[in-house]
Amino acid sequence: PDPGGEIGVLAYSPENKKELNNPKTLDNQKIAFSLKKKEGWFLQIIDARVIETVREEKKSFIVPAGEASFHPVFIENGKSLVLDAVKGGERGLWKVDAATGATTRLLSAGVEPFGDGILWSEKTKQILYVTSDGSEYQLHAYPAGKGKKILLKSSAPIFTPSWTMSGGEISYADGVHGEFNVLNVRTGVTLPLLSDQERAEKYKAKDLPVKEVIPAPDGFRYLYLANEGKNTSIWVVLADGTKRKKIYEENAKLQNVSWFPDGQKILFEETRNRSTLMFYPNCFLTESKRARILDANLDTAEDLIPSQVSHRAPAVSPDGVKVAFVGDQGLWFHYGNPGIWVAFLR
């Protein structure tokens, strides 16, 4: 149903591997999302199960979450969330109990907006965040480890910091160079991810600034986004820096990027404005959004649902079988109330 406001980013609660054989596990799975109303921004959490009738009630509650858009991140195996919420004009960190909605302030100011990265690590039990004072960026983990209050300092931005599968490394991009960096948490050494051959050839791609990088869940490779003029491209590279290649490119904005749990496909949102729409440019009022699934091995992409419906904010379920998304404007017809929908992939 229509939640009565503008829906922002969606997040699925993680899969509790300890309860895979528990029939009640599905009952505990949730979808969290940011919601803009006249009164401000809110966090809403709903039951992730698909209802068969509109009469069936779903467990849901809503929590005030400040004055601007934010990104909810599930932590602690889905028991809690962390928000980069703006309150009192300052962006901070806020922790929310996923069962009760009880809110705790962790940090009140100076936090940079969350990106598409893998911020939470179940291995280290820490969430990554970036602060900035206007001249320097600092990468932190909460709760901080012993003697590790600041993981990294940089004069350049720190975009999409992400834990790798091992929990011992963190990847990030700076939006300046044509490659991304990997930080060794134990040694504090950060290096660009390059192959031995690229290092020997002094590989540089200054004309392709990288703004997002996300490691695959299996630790096999990374995806990263690069800007090429008006185009945005998706690249993949193995964890040792070899077999770097471009697998997708469009004259469009790409966001809400994530790996499927098996590390074989990539989910993302593609936005085209009226000037770049190839078909029926006047049928959408402003712009067209669509969720796409990109095969990272075959370099082929397909729409999640027919593109006649503008849809956005895709989030894949922990088992990789479902994708939740926000259904918006229809091309030739009214799509119904804006709301959260679920596409079954098999």
Side-chain angles (χ1 to χ4, degrees):
D2 183 357
E6 177 187 337
I7 302 172
V9 180
L10 306 184
Y12 258 103
S13 63
E15 188 174 59
N16 191 335
K17 294 182 179 180
K18 294 181 180 179
E19 300 183 6
L20 286 178
N21 297 320
N22 186 339
K24 296 182 179 180
T25 299
L26 290 178
D27 294 344
N28 297 329
Q29 194 170 71
K30 301 176 177 66
I31 293 176
F33 57 94
S34 54
L35 180 66
K36 183 181 181 181
K37 294 189 172 187
K38 293 181 180 180
E39 301 86 357
W41 285 83
F42 296 83
L43 168 71
Q44 185 158 359
I45 302 175
I46 62 173
D47 187 335
R49 293 173 300 168
V50 177
I51 58 176
E52 296 181 356
T53 69
V54 294
R55 294 180 181 179
E56 182 179 348
E57 294 185 2
K58 305 181 76 175
K59 298 177 182 178
S60 174
F61 63 85
I62 190 167
V63 179
E67 305 129 22
S69 61
F70 64 92
H71 193 131
V73 177
F74 277 102
I75 67 171
E76 299 171 345
N77 227 349
K79 294 180 180 179
S80 306
L81 297 102
V82 170
L83 319 179
D84 57 333
V86 177
K87 297 187 178 182
E90 297 284 352
R91 189 177 297 275
L93 291 184
W94 298 80
K95 185 177 180 180
V96 179
D97 187 298
T100 66
T103 303
T104 304
R105 182 177 66 181
L106 304 179
L107 188 66
S108 60
V111 175
E112 292 290 292
F114 288 167
D116 293 330
I118 302 172
L119 298 176
W120 172 257
S121 170
E122 280 294 337
K123 289 194 173 183
T124 68
K125 306 299 181 184
Q126 293 174 304
I127 188 167
L128 298 173
Y129 67 96
V130 178
T131 61
S132 173
D133 61 5
S135 61
E136 182 182 71
Y137 295 85
Q138 297 181 351
L139 175 64
H140 312 258
Y142 179 88
K146 295 181 180 179
K148 293 280 188 179
K149 292 185 177 181
I150 301 176
L151 299 177
L152 177 69
K153 295 181 180 181
S154 174
S155 59
I158 301 174
F159 293 135
T160 60
S162 297
W163 290 105
T164 60
M165 181 183 66
S166 67
E169 294 181 323
I170 298 169
S171 63
Y172 69 94
D174 62 14
V176 177
H177 299 91
E179 70 279 334
F180 58 89
N181 299 302
V182 177
L183 167 68
N184 185 303
V185 177
R186 182 180 62 83
T187 65
V189 175
T190 180
L191 293 171
L193 185 73
L194 300 172
S195 66
D196 292 340
Q197 181 178 352
E198 288 173 334
R199 292 183 188 279
E201 296 175 351
K202 297 182 179 180
Y203 172 85
K204 290 184 179 181
K206 294 182 179 179
D207 56 331
L208 302 178
V210 177
K211 289 194 173 181
E212 291 197 33
V213 55
I214 305 175
D218 58 6
F220 182 64
R221 54 189 161 181
Y222 296 82
L223 73 84
Y224 63 96
L225 272 64
N227 290 339
E228 302 184 58
K230 294 182 179 180
N231 291 358
T232 304
S233 55
I234 299 177
W235 295 65
V236 292
V237 60
L238 298 189
D240 63 359
T242 61
K243 296 189 178 180
R244 186 186 306 273
K245 67 172 182 175
K246 179 168 58 178
I247 62 174
Y248 188 80
E249 182 178 8
E250 280 292 341
N251 181 4
K253 178 181 179 181
L254 308 183
Q255 60 185 2
N256 292 321
V257 183
S258 64
W259 284 98
F260 271 70
D262 62 2
Q264 304 303 305
K265 294 182 179 180
I266 299 166
L267 178 67
F268 63 94
E269 175 189 319
E270 181 176 286
T271 302
R272 291 176 174 272
N273 57 39
R274 292 180 61 178
S275 64
T276 59
L277 289 174
M278 296 178 63
F279 301 104
Y280 312 107
N282 295 320
C283 294
F284 287 105
L285 295 178
T286 54
E287 59 187 12
S288 171
K289 296 178 180 288
R290 59 176 177 170
R292 308 211 79 198
I293 298 174
L294 173 63
D295 191 305
N297 303 309
L298 302 177
D299 308 350
T300 56
E302 60 181 359
D303 292 343
L304 176 65
I305 64 172
S307 57
Q308 287 85 355
V309 174
S310 184
H311 54 293
R312 57 183 177 81
V316 63
S317 63
D319 58 9
V321 175
K322 303 180 291 294
V323 174
F325 63 94
V326 179
D328 279 338
Q329 176 191 357
L331 184 62
W332 297 294
F333 56 90
H334 183 56
Y335 192 47
N337 292 332
I340 298 173
W341 299 73
V342 174
F344 288 80
L345 305 182
R346 63 177 186 269

